[in-house]
Amino acid sequence: MSAQKKVAFYTLGCKLNFSETSTIARSFQNEGFKRVEFDEVADIYVINTCSVTDNADKRFKTIVKSALKQNEKAFLIAIGCYAQLKPEELAAVDGVDMVLGATEKFKVTDYLNDLTKNDMGEVHSCEIEEADFYVGSYSIGDRTRAFLKVQDGCDYKCTYCTIPLARGISRSDTLNNILHNAKEISEKGIKEIVLTGVNIGDYGKGEFGNKKHEHTFFELVQALDKVKGIHRLRISSIEPNLLKNEIIEFVAESNSFVPHFHIPLQSGSDELLKLMKRRYLKETYTNRVEAIKKAMPNACIGVDVIVGFPGETDELFLETYNYLNELDISYLHVFTYSERPNTEAIEMEGVVPQKVRTKRSKMLRGLSVKKRRAFYESQLGNELTVLFESENKEGYIHGFTENYVKVKTPWNPELINTLHTIQLTKIDKDGLVRFDWVKVPTVN
């Protein structure tokens, strides 16, 4: 009998990619493959790619090299957003044997009849218009929390973004299937679920493979809140125009949804928001933040922002900087604008020099550090609940409170994936928060 074949996975990019990698990995395990770590010898290496930043493109080649170092005869498969957008480019990378596009990646095991190395990567990718069906997925086994995919694709036409080209139209999982997956996750003893998708506030669209809506995102939130055994539900990222008051009010009173929102802003200038074709102006964003803080004074609010978009003058950048500085938010995810083929923005005037982009990015990252520190300071003395992670980080175990304060305490493996009430006491040198146990955990 031949030895069991081994498969290893590497994921670039977002939480959605992590949830899809896990689902694809389970399909390999169902076919009798053994999953191993990426730095171990495997027969097949699957790399789930991302196209959001320049860096992800460059990292792909490095990851391919590291896989071939483990086993030069291994069969290498590229999947994900970059594989959909530039399949030929990835297929031409030395050592890549197969590239699967947006619809093919979930059927990857169907393509594995022959694992002989190819001189040139074989491409199976559809026209993105064909990516109109939905594959539900969630990740577990990798972390103490699970990423549950509820929606895929996007109908928005932001001028800097290739995601609609890489993932197709907005479409959703059925409510029943999401609830089934959530129950499955809770039965595995996982305490926290993060809802993920490309544009999750758009949930409901395409639930039946067409534009017909049966459910809304609000109804999904209400239904998930009733699932037994889930201690925490977190909304990963939601557009400000889709974050309705009813959702904010529901989360504030909810059994399991935590007071943490991540809301993309992209620019604090109305002029640039219009150029980006975002579906709101600054006033809407301010209203969302105020509504959250009114309903949940201790809520954590994260913000996505892009620097260096074409037409961003010094004045417009400072408008964004000052706006964010005044706003009651907790941290920033800063993206440096990078030109993407087949987007409107690539044709725009007012290109910002790379050096200026880097400087602006540094300024906003500095502001993020200041904001996070101020938010952590505002939480000192509060009693909160922590969920501990699974890694030993230099003799400490880390965890997150419901409102996303990162805490640490000396390593104790028995705390992994457990929830405890704590009182935050001080901020450590590394910026993480120390605490007192409100009730000392009983450790055997």
Side-chain angles (χ1 to χ4, degrees):
M1 183 177 157
S2 63
Q4 189 180 19
K5 292 250 188 267
K6 293 176 183 165
V7 61
F9 296 85
Y10 196 104
T11 306
L12 290 157
C14 63
K15 295 182 175 87
L16 186 56
N17 271 4
F18 275 99
S19 76
E20 292 180 345
T21 297
S22 280
T23 296
I24 291 163
R26 287 194 289 277
S27 74
F28 271 92
Q29 284 159 316
N30 293 342
E31 295 286 331
F33 284 85
K34 181 179 184 213
R35 182 175 182 178
V36 297
E37 293 301 316
F38 201 79
D39 56 6
E40 295 178 46
V41 175
D43 301 284
I44 298 176
Y45 291 92
V46 180
I47 303 168
N48 195 351
T49 62
C50 165
S51 71
V52 172
T53 61
D54 263 349
N55 217 4
D57 311 353
K58 293 176 189 134
R59 281 182 63 196
F60 177 74
K61 288 180 179 163
T62 317
I63 295 158
V64 168
K65 277 188 188 138
S66 69
L68 293 174
K69 217 177 257 173
Q70 298 299 333
N71 177 9
E72 59 181 25
K73 295 193 174 72
F75 196 79
L76 247 78
I77 305 172
I79 60 172
C81 289
Y82 199 48
Q84 174 65 34
L85 288 173
K86 302 258 181 90
E88 276 74 22
E89 208 169 286
L90 291 191
V93 172
D94 264 2
V96 173
D97 298 291
M98 190 178 285
V99 179
L100 299 179
T103 62
E104 291 74 18
K105 63 188 172 194
F106 294 107
K107 305 189 290 253
V108 55
T109 53
D110 297 353
Y111 293 99
L112 299 180
N113 305 328
D114 178 12
L115 294 183
T116 336
K117 293 289 287 172
N118 294 323
D119 291 340
M120 175 76 182
E122 198 181 301
V123 174
H124 298 276
S125 95
C126 62
E127 289 303 313
I128 197 60
E129 289 72 35
E130 291 165 35
D132 57 1
F133 61 88
Y134 185 87
V135 177
S137 46
Y138 62 86
S139 76
I140 47 172
D142 318 10
R143 303 153 183 251
T144 48
R145 63 178 72 94
F147 296 117
L148 172 59
K149 173 179 162 185
V150 300
Q151 181 273 345
D152 199 349
C154 189
D155 292 343
Y156 287 12
K157 299 283 186 281
C158 301
T159 54
Y160 51 81
C161 186
T162 55
I163 286 173
L165 301 172
R167 284 187 169 270
I169 57 169
S170 179
R171 52 209 190 275
S172 308
D173 205 347
T174 62
L175 189 60
N176 283 343
N177 196 42
I178 293 172
L179 295 175
H180 169 78
N181 284 343
K183 285 191 186 87
E184 229 174 68
I185 292 166
S186 77
E187 282 158 12
K188 290 178 164 59
I190 285 174
K191 305 279 195 299
E192 179 172 315
I193 292 179
V194 183
L195 301 185
T196 178
V198 175
N199 185 356
I200 63 174
D202 211 21
Y203 173 79
K205 204 180 266 187
E207 214 180 332
F208 302 98
N210 53 29
K211 290 293 175 205
K212 203 168 122 221
H213 273 253
E214 185 177 7
H215 299 102
T216 62
F217 183 65
F218 181 46
E219 287 168 331
L220 170 68
V221 163
Q222 289 172 302
L224 280 167
D225 201 46
K226 296 191 185 95
V227 175
K228 296 272 182 288
I230 298 170
H231 297 266
R232 284 183 177 182
L233 284 154
R234 210 177 280 278
I235 297 168
S236 66
S237 178
I238 183 165
E239 294 283 311
N241 50 307
L242 297 173
L243 178 55
K244 304 282 189 254
N245 278 338
E246 57 186 11
I247 297 168
I248 294 170
E249 283 155 19
F250 184 82
V251 168
E253 301 296 322
S254 149
N255 303 317
S256 42
F257 275 90
V258 294
H260 175 204
F261 294 87
H262 193 91
I263 317 167
L265 168 69
Q266 312 311 14
S267 173
S269 146
D270 283 348
E271 190 180 320
L272 288 177
L273 288 172
K274 288 173 187 167
L275 279 176
M276 291 173 168
K277 289 196 178 164
R278 300 293 287 155
R279 297 198 176 190
Y280 54 86
L281 295 174
K282 203 158 60 175
E283 186 187 5
T284 300
Y285 200 91
T286 310
N287 290 344
R288 300 298 78 210
V289 171
E290 285 172 356
I292 291 167
K293 284 295 186 177
K294 188 175 169 206
M296 293 164 269
N298 291 313
C300 176
I301 301 175
V303 182
D304 285 341
V305 61
I306 293 171
V307 295
F309 187 78
E312 186 183 62
T313 59
D314 286 344
E315 291 73 25
L316 294 182
F317 169 70
L318 283 174
E319 192 183 334
T320 295
Y321 185 94
N322 294 331
Y323 173 66
L324 288 166
N325 193 27
E326 296 296 311
L327 206 57
D328 192 359
I329 52 157
S330 318
Y331 64 91
L332 305 172
H333 278 175
V334 184
F335 297 90
T336 305
Y337 171 74
S338 61
E339 281 77 3
R340 285 275 165 263
N342 304 320
T343 57
E344 275 185 65
I346 203 166
E347 308 290 332
M348 288 181 182
E349 290 171 3
V351 173
V352 178
Q354 285 297 349
K355 259 191 186 150
V356 177
R357 294 183 207 184
T358 308
K359 183 182 160 203
R360 288 176 186 171
S361 169
K362 215 171 175 179
M363 280 176 72
L364 282 180
R365 285 175 211 273
L367 179 62
S368 181
V369 170
K370 190 180 111 178
K371 285 282 184 186
R372 195 184 296 266
R373 174 105 195 173
F375 176 63
Y376 281 8
E377 280 173 359
S378 76
Q379 297 305 301
L380 296 179
N382 286 355
E383 276 191 20
L384 296 161
T385 309
V386 62
L387 172 62
F388 286 105
E389 309 266 302
S390 55
E391 275 179 82
N392 182 342
K393 305 239 172 128
E394 297 173 359
Y396 287 92
I397 186 167
H398 293 174
F400 283 96
T401 62
E402 60 270 48
N403 61 346
Y404 217 56
V405 174
K406 196 172 187 181
V407 303
K408 65 189 267 199
T409 197
W411 171 253
N412 176 350
E414 296 191 23
L415 292 174
I416 292 172
N417 197 31
T418 60
L419 287 155
H420 299 276
T421 308
I422 57 169
Q423 184 174 35
L424 305 186
T425 54
K426 62 171 190 176
I427 301 175
D428 224 345
K429 290 192 295 288
D430 57 7
L432 304 189
V433 182
R434 304 302 288 262
F435 59 84
D436 291 333
W437 301 100
V438 168
K439 192 171 160 226
V440 177
T442 46
V443 173
N444 305 329

